[in-house]
Every structure is written in C-alpha cells, then in structure tokens.
Amino acid sequence: MPRFKCIVTYDGTHFAGYQVQPRKRTVQGELERALKKLHKGEDIKVTASGRTDAGVHARGQVIHFDSPLNIPLGKWGIALNSLLPDDVAVLGTEQAPDDFHVRFDAKGKEYRYFVHRSSRRDPFKRHYVYQYPFALNTDSIKQAAADLIGTHDFTSFCSAKTEVEDKVRELQEIEILEEEDMLIFRFRGTGFLYNMVRILAGTLLEVGIGERDPNSMPSVILEKNRSAAGKTAPPQGLYLWKVFY
Amino acid sequence: MPRFKCIVTYDGTHFAGYQVQPRKRTVQGELERALKKLHKGEDIKVTASGRTDAGVHARGQVIHFDSPLNIPLGKWGIALNSLLPDDVAVLGTEQAPDDFHVRFDAKGKEYRYFVHRSSRRDPFKRHYVYQYPFALNTDSIKQAAADLIGTHDFTSFCSAKTEVEDKVRELQEIEILEEEDMLIFRFRGTGFLYNMVRILAGTLLEVGIGERDPNSMPSVILEKNRSAAGKTAPPQGLYLWKVFY
C-alpha cells in the first residue's frame, strides 16, 4: 500500500498535545479522524516525527500514513483540510518509499522558541509567545549557548518524567535572533529529549537576567541532574519548525 | 468623582462582542467585573467609544469610568490587568475632565481590516485575518475606494438591523496597504454605522475579484439600500485601531 508523507502545521493552544490520549482533543486524533472519514470508515494509523506537548505549536511537523486511495498528490491537502478543524492544516503531501519512516529516518529537527520582551501584556500574543518582562543580556545568553552546542549527555535538560535511557544528543546549532521586541531561540539538533528545548530556553533566560553565570553550562551538563538546569519555559512560546530528512 | 479614560486592547475571538448581554461573555462585562473587584463590590459603569461585534478585535478601544479611588495614574493599568482575563488589557490610563465623554467627544475613528491573500490555510491566523484565496486587482479596489471617500448617506453600507436614523457619515480616508501576502484596508472617518466597515471591505473585495465595476460605487451609495452593496466581510479581519479626540 503506498505510503504518504505530509507536512502539517497546527496551533497547539486547544490541543492536549500531539499524541492520542483517551477523551482528550489531540492533533493525532484529529488527523486520524479526518483520514478515517476520507477512507469511508477505515482506520488509518498516523505516525509523526515526534510528539509535541499541550500548547506547543508546529509549523512543520511531518507525518506518514499508508493509503490505498488513488488521490493525485496535489489534492491530498485539499481533501484532508476540508475534513480537519481549522487549527490543523496539511501544507504538502508527497509519496514516500514504502519503507520510509517519519521518525526513524529524520536526520534532525529545528525548534524555535519565541520570547516577547515586554512588560506590556498583548492579548494577541498570549498563546503564541512567552511574555518576559525582565531585561536580558543577550551577550551572556549567546556565550552560554555556545557551550551547549555539541554532543552531550543532556540528562540535566530532560524532564525526569521520561523513559528514554540514552540521553546523549547532538545539539548542532543555537541561534539567538533579535527582531524588534522579540527574542527568538533557534535550536537545531539530531534529536531532542522530553522538554529539552523548553528547559534549554528556560535556562538560557536565567543566564540572560543574570541569575546564572554565562560560563556555568559545562558544569550544568556534567551534573546530569534535572535540578541543575533552569525552569522549563512555558509551552506557548515553542514551535516545532522543521524536520530534516 | 474623578473621571478616567483608558485605552483598551482585546482579542475579540472569545467574546460575544463589546457590549454587555445577559449570560454572554463580553468585553464590557469583563471590564466592569474587574472594576467592581477593585472597588470592593461597588458597581462601576464603563462607557466605550462604541461597540464592536462578536469576533471583532480592538487595538485602541477607548473607555471612560468614574472612580473615587486614589490610584496613581501609572498604576491603574497594572491593577486592572491583574484582574482582567488575558484576552483584554488596559494599555494606558489618564485622568479626563469631569464632563469628558468617550463617545460624544470622539472626533473620529480608525479601523483596519486584514485580508490574507492565500489559498493556504494558516491555523495561526484563523481568528485574526480574513483568508481570501481569490486573485485581487488592487488598482480596481483603489479606484472604487476613492469614490467612497467623502460625506455620504451610507445606508447601502449599513446593516438593516440598526435603529440609527441619520446615516450620513464622513469617510475621510481609505488606504489600501499591501504587505507581503496581506492586504490591509485602513478606514478613517468621523463615525461609522453598524457593520459599515465590514460591508465596505466586503464590497471592495467584490470589486477586486471583478464581480463589481470599480466605477459603480457612486450608484451603490445613491441606491440607499443595503442590498446594493456587497457581502459583510467576516468579523475576524476587523480591528478598531484608534479613536481620535
């Protein structure tokens, strides 16, 4: 049966996260519901590049599924979008090799974390950025970020609620962008642990306000203890931006 | 009792409009609830520059109210914002003369209407712009807009559900801005009728797609009949941007 790969975007605000959970509204649940309708009641299993938490957004989540339907590639998005709620959309569809796997074949991922540097509440941004009213030293943040890049055991930057044993990951890039009153962290890596991006962002913000030494990241990594790193930044600032294959 | 004037912004998505209605969530209702808490249970009546419909947003709504509280001007926003839900915020407060009236003293208003020219659904914009997938001729729109400027009887551009008798208004300016895939209508006038901006936007879009002659606006105005104008554009693209005093 042919395998299809889709790029999917969603506003995570009203989802209990990506992955199906009983009696909760999830992105996977909505995608599978739409596919089931399109397949006249047949269950179609969707596999994603990875989960996202409640409130976390995606610009470029990638999924795969198998389907016997003979729909022209350019029409899959139209068909699925007509059946999906308006906070999820399929951006593009291509046919993939039968043995393609959206998670195992991913070479890396890019996440972005948006910090709104403002003491003025903005109702239009409340679900889409982390509003942060404190003055930030971006040079300190950049200095600390440089020490996080590389292949490390990221146990300190992983939620204790995880079942993964091997916590060695390669963080390839952290870019700090400043656009008007927005500070954007761009993280690229081969793989990320549970809550890793939010803990990285939260820790770098603590460096930015002077609560942590910009040179302390190597020792935080060495401790291999979640309590050595900073707070988990809130979900609404986080976007799964792109998955690389 | 001193009178205070505040600039208020809100995301209209989850409101049944500005004005208080029984058993509905409204902006006025939330403002009066916050003021009542601040005044230890005393009812404080809020007056606005005008109503906005369900789903319509405000960047610069203006309200006034009277209060005996001796709060420094810079602290009013902090006090009210701590009591308001996160989709409404007070941006600034000043003391006004005792006879100031936020509606009667307004010299004009600016509304903006945002059209997203795209056939690609964007979950992040669904509540904040009107997604419009059809090709638009902006020269035709500008030509038609020029004929709408001036002092006219705008009966054709007013919802039939209105009690106002005098429908003569002065439309001072219509600017059409293009920013990437966004078309923004900026309307400035001395006053606006019920649904007037949304009907103006809907009619200009029909000109833009070639459904209406760009030279037909004078005759639409002359008909003084709601059915002569175009469809009412949906609320989520509309922002009360500024009130002039």
Side-chain angles (χ1 to χ4, degrees), chain A residues 12 27 37 51 58 65 67 71 107-108 112 126 137 151 226:
Chain A
V27 180
K37 271 193 208 154
R51 310 169 191 181
F65 59 85
S67 168
I71 297 176
K107 290 207 169 54
R112 294 194 188 184
R126 71 195 191 283
N137 181 332
T151 303
R226 170 67 187 91

Side-chain angles (χ1 to χ4, degrees), chain B residues 25-176:
Chain B
R25 185 170 186 264
T26 64
V27 180
Q28 185 188 355
E30 293 296 340
L31 290 166
E32 291 184 346
R33 188 207 308 261
L35 280 164
K36 187 172 184 168
K37 270 194 208 153
L38 199 61
H39 291 77
K40 306 194 185 306
E42 194 187 335
D43 281 318
I44 302 290
K45 165 86 180 156
V46 169
T47 306
S49 72
R51 310 168 191 180
T52 52
D53 279 343
V56 172
H57 312 293
R59 284 283 186 189
Q61 172 67 287
V62 185
I63 61 163
H64 82 241
F65 60 85
D66 297 332
S67 168
L69 294 186
N70 193 11
I71 296 177
L73 278 180
K75 302 285 183 191
W76 268 101
I78 297 165
L80 284 171
N81 287 336
S82 72
L83 297 168
L84 284 167
D86 63 4
D87 47 356
V88 200
V90 170
L91 296 180
T93 308
E94 55 186 70
Q95 198 172 335
D98 289 358
D99 62 349
F100 170 79
H101 193 286
V102 81
R103 186 162 76 250
F104 304 140
D105 290 349
K107 290 207 167 53
K109 279 183 185 171
E110 179 182 329
Y111 282 93
R112 296 194 187 184
Y113 195 93
F114 287 72
V115 178
H116 184 212
R117 304 170 70 172
S118 173
S119 56
R120 180 179 271 198
R121 227 164 54 157
D122 185 341
F124 297 98
K125 294 194 169 84
R126 71 197 192 281
H127 296 312
Y128 306 110
V129 298
Y130 178 24
Q131 192 207 328
Y132 203 75
F134 311 111
L136 290 169
N137 181 333
T138 48
D139 288 336
S140 301
I141 293 178
K142 284 174 187 170
Q143 195 185 330
D147 288 336
L148 292 165
I149 293 167
T151 303
H152 307 290
D153 182 323
F154 280 101
T155 301
S156 296
F157 295 90
C158 176
S159 166
K161 290 180 288 178
T162 188
E163 285 159 26
V164 177
E165 302 228 328
D166 177 12
K167 296 192 179 110
V168 176
R169 295 290 183 278
E170 186 190 356
L171 194 50
Q172 297 159 314
E173 201 182 346
I174 306 180
E175 194 182 8
I176 320 286

Side-chain angles (χ1 to χ4, degrees), chain A residues 126-155:
Chain A
R126 71 195 191 283
H127 296 311
Y128 306 110
V129 298
Y130 178 24
Q131 192 209 330
Y132 203 75
F134 311 110
L136 289 169
N137 181 332
T138 47
D139 289 334
S140 300
I141 293 177
K142 285 173 187 171
Q143 196 185 331
D147 287 336
L148 292 164
I149 293 168
T151 303
H152 307 290
D153 182 322
F154 281 101
T155 301

Side-chain angles (χ1 to χ4, degrees), chain A residues 44-81:
Chain A
I44 303 290
K45 164 85 180 155
V46 170
T47 306
S49 73
R51 310 169 191 181
T52 52
D53 280 344
V56 172
H57 312 293
R59 285 283 185 188
Q61 171 67 287
V62 185
I63 60 162
H64 82 241
F65 59 85
D66 297 332
S67 168
L69 293 186
N70 193 10
I71 297 176
L73 278 179
K75 302 284 183 191
W76 270 102
I78 298 166
L80 284 171
N81 287 336

Side-chain angles (χ1 to χ4, degrees), chain A residues 112-125:
Chain A
R112 294 194 188 184
Y113 195 93
F114 287 73
V115 178
H116 185 212
R117 304 169 70 171
S118 173
S119 57
R120 178 179 273 196
R121 228 166 52 160
D122 184 339
F124 297 97
K125 294 194 170 80

Side-chain angles (χ1 to χ4, degrees), chain A residues 18 21 23 27 40-41 58 69 71-72 80 82 85 87 95 127 137 173 179 185 193 218 233 244:
Chain A
Y18 175 80
Q21 296 176 59
R23 288 177 303 282
V27 180
K40 305 194 186 307
L69 293 186
I71 297 176
L80 284 171
S82 73
D87 46 357
Q95 199 172 335
H127 296 311
N137 181 332
E173 201 181 347
E179 288 178 11
F185 294 99
L193 299 162
F244 299 95

Side-chain angles (χ1 to χ4, degrees), chain A:
Chain A
M1 200 154 51
R3 178 155 290 188
F4 296 93
K5 173 186 172 192
C6 298
I7 298 177
V8 175
T9 181
Y10 46 86
D11 174 345
T13 308
H14 300 297
F15 288 108
Y18 175 80
Q19 195 179 38
V20 162
Q21 296 176 59
R23 288 177 303 282
K24 297 241 171 123
R25 185 170 187 264
T26 64
V27 180
Q28 185 188 355
E30 294 296 341
L31 290 166
E32 291 184 346
R33 187 206 309 262
L35 280 164
K36 187 173 183 167
K37 271 193 208 154
L38 199 61
H39 290 77
K40 305 194 186 307
E42 193 188 335
D43 282 317
I44 303 290
K45 164 85 180 155
V46 170
T47 306
S49 73
R51 310 169 191 181
T52 52
D53 280 344
V56 172
H57 312 293
R59 285 283 185 188
Q61 171 67 287
V62 185
I63 60 162
H64 82 241
F65 59 85
D66 297 332
S67 168
L69 293 186
N70 193 10
I71 297 176
L73 278 179
K75 302 284 183 191
W76 270 102
I78 298 166
L80 284 171
N81 287 336
S82 73
L83 297 168
L84 284 167
D86 64 3
D87 46 357
V88 200
V90 170
L91 297 181
T93 308
E94 54 186 72
Q95 199 172 335
D98 288 359
D99 63 348
F100 170 79
H101 194 287
V102 82
R103 186 163 76 251
F104 303 142
D105 290 348
K107 290 207 169 54
K109 279 183 183 169
E110 180 181 328
Y111 282 92
R112 294 194 188 184
Y113 195 93
F114 287 73
V115 178
H116 185 212
R117 304 169 70 171
S118 173
S119 57
R120 178 179 273 196
R121 228 166 52 160
D122 184 339
F124 297 97
K125 294 194 170 80
R126 71 195 191 283
H127 296 311
Y128 306 110
V129 298
Y130 178 24
Q131 192 209 330
Y132 203 75
F134 311 110
L136 289 169
N137 181 332
T138 47
D139 289 334
S140 300
I141 293 177
K142 285 173 187 171
Q143 196 185 331
D147 287 336
L148 292 164
I149 293 168
T151 303
H152 307 290
D153 182 322
F154 281 101
T155 301
S156 296
F157 295 90
C158 175
S159 166
K161 290 181 286 177
T162 188
E163 285 159 24
V164 177
E165 301 228 332
D166 177 11
K167 296 193 181 108
V168 175
R169 294 290 183 279
E170 186 190 357
L171 194 50
Q172 297 159 314
E173 201 181 347
I174 306 178
E175 195 181 10
I176 319 286
L177 305 162
E178 294 181 78
E179 288 178 11
E180 294 175 18
D181 54 0
M182 209 67 81
L183 187 79
I184 306 160
F185 294 99
R186 206 169 66 78
F187 296 95
R188 183 174 166 167
T190 51
F192 291 89
L193 299 162
Y194 185 39
N195 276 355
M196 180 167 154
V197 181
R198 290 166 57 189
I199 300 169
L200 287 167
T203 306
L204 289 171
L205 287 171
E206 292 177 11
V207 169
I209 57 171
E211 261 188 17
R212 284 177 181 269
D213 187 326
N215 298 309
S216 63
M217 292 303 110
S219 65
V220 172
I221 292 171
L222 279 176
E223 281 209 43
K224 295 185 195 166
N225 185 333
R226 170 67 187 91
S227 65
K231 289 200 193 76
T232 306
Q236 73 273 13
L238 183 60
Y239 294 73
L240 170 53
W241 205 263
K242 198 171 177 178
V243 186
F244 299 95
Y245 290 95

